Amino acid sequence: MFGRRKKSGSAEDEADEVREAEQVADGTEDAAPGARRMNLPPAPRPDGPWDLSEVSQPGEGRVDLGGIFVPGVEGMELRVEVAGDAIVAATVVLRDSAVQLQAFAAPKKEGIWGEVRDEIASGITQQGGVIDEVEGPLGWELRAQVPVQLPDGANGVQLVRFVGVDGPRWFLRGVISGQGAVQPEAAGLLETVFRDTVVARGDGPMAPRDPIVLKLPNDAQMVPEGVQQEDQESSKFSGGMGQLQRGPEITEVR
């Protein structure tokens, strides 16, 4: 959706980039409107989410999905979502709330969450939805009222929270729904899951915003959406949340 910035490598160009960065940080008149939220270095992450290089044993207490390691929480259901033949997102369902986790490649020295927030907000408002940008427990987030059609055909809204964190060459987005969006103070455990997620981007070249592809764990049992298993209630990742349906997905029961 956007290209990498080209650099000539000259001392003059580097000096120009330093001046631009200072203008953005200071909010001076020369900075373009909205520049203070774009192209900034990723903020510190003292409480996570974590890069693979920052965790000695990422698989301890987490489910290894390749591109991300998702913390295991008692009573949760873990679903993976597919686009074509690729697994691109994981959803943790816990009681009456859920958080969808999706990781993307990002530029080495620039965060993209500010830009992504603007795009999400613009898309929702164009649909007639309402957006509120607030600083929440996970940093800046969007709390949205998204127009939906109810089962009886009437128009309604769904409350959703979009959260995000920029890391080193990656960006992790979370979409919180259910009671965790209706009552954000009730989403503490899902926020902990988001914070304790480990992102494994890999060293290969990736264009910014390319999704970091996930994989199923070796011991996963694949259950098509809507199919119940007799042993699901005793599963560590069982949430019994059939009412939360999300596109084409596969449920992992452990």
Side-chain angles (χ1 to χ4, degrees):
M1 298 176 66
F2 64 95
R4 290 188 174 89
R5 179 183 301 169
K6 295 182 179 180
K7 298 181 181 179
S8 66
S10 69
E12 182 177 354
D13 288 339
E14 292 177 359
D16 287 340
E17 290 175 4
V18 171
R19 284 193 294 271
E20 289 173 3
E22 291 173 347
Q23 289 171 351
V24 169
D26 295 339
T28 58
E29 294 181 354
D30 292 337
R36 281 177 294 174
R37 54 190 297 139
M38 310 296 182
N39 305 325
L40 296 178
R45 296 167 290 102
D47 300 316
W50 311 108
D51 185 73
L52 183 62
S53 64
E54 300 168 335
V55 180
S56 59
Q57 295 181 310
E60 184 174 344
R62 300 181 181 90
V63 181
D64 180 1
L65 295 178
I68 59 175
F69 291 75
V70 180
V73 178
E74 188 66 32
M76 87 181 195
E77 180 181 331
L78 179 62
R79 301 172 178 175
V80 293
E81 304 181 22
V82 299
D85 296 328
I87 299 174
V88 296
T91 298
V92 173
V93 183
L94 188 63
R95 294 187 289 276
D96 52 3
S97 300
V99 59
Q100 181 199 66
L101 304 170
Q102 191 168 13
F104 303 86
K108 185 175 183 179
K109 297 181 180 179
E110 296 177 358
I112 63 175
W113 178 218
E115 187 174 358
V116 170
R117 282 202 312 277
D118 281 350
E119 294 173 3
I120 294 173
S122 177
I124 291 175
T125 54
Q126 287 176 11
Q127 298 173 31
V130 178
I131 287 289
D132 187 17
E133 185 175 29
V134 302
E135 189 167 11
L138 299 170
W140 286 104
E141 65 177 75
L142 296 177
R143 298 184 181 178
Q145 300 178 41
V146 182
V148 295
Q149 188 173 50
L150 302 177
D152 61 2
N155 294 326
V157 296
Q158 180 183 11
L159 301 184
V160 182
R161 292 171 58 194
F162 294 89
V163 298
V165 170
D166 291 302
R169 302 178 68 206
W170 53 258
F171 163 66
L172 181 66
R173 187 189 70 184
V175 183
I176 299 174
S177 58
Q179 282 300 307
V182 176
Q183 298 178 313
E185 63 275 10
L189 193 52
L190 290 181
E191 292 167 357
T192 298
V193 168
F194 182 84
R195 257 195 214 97
D196 202 33
T197 295
V198 176
V199 179
R201 180 199 178 281
D203 297 326
M206 296 180 68
R209 301 198 187 205
D210 276 357
I212 297 174
V213 177
L214 310 182
K215 68 175 183 64
L216 286 174
N218 294 332
D219 58 349
Q221 301 177 33
M222 294 186 294
V223 182
E225 179 184 357
V227 175
Q228 299 294 324
Q229 284 193 329
E230 293 181 358
D231 63 344
Q232 186 171 358
E233 291 185 357
S234 62
S235 166
K236 179 179 179 181
F237 298 114
S238 172
M241 290 299 299
Q243 71 268 33
L244 288 175
Q245 304 298 328
R246 298 173 175 275
E249 60 188 31
I250 298 171
T251 300
E252 181 208 359
V253 179
R254 290 164 62 100

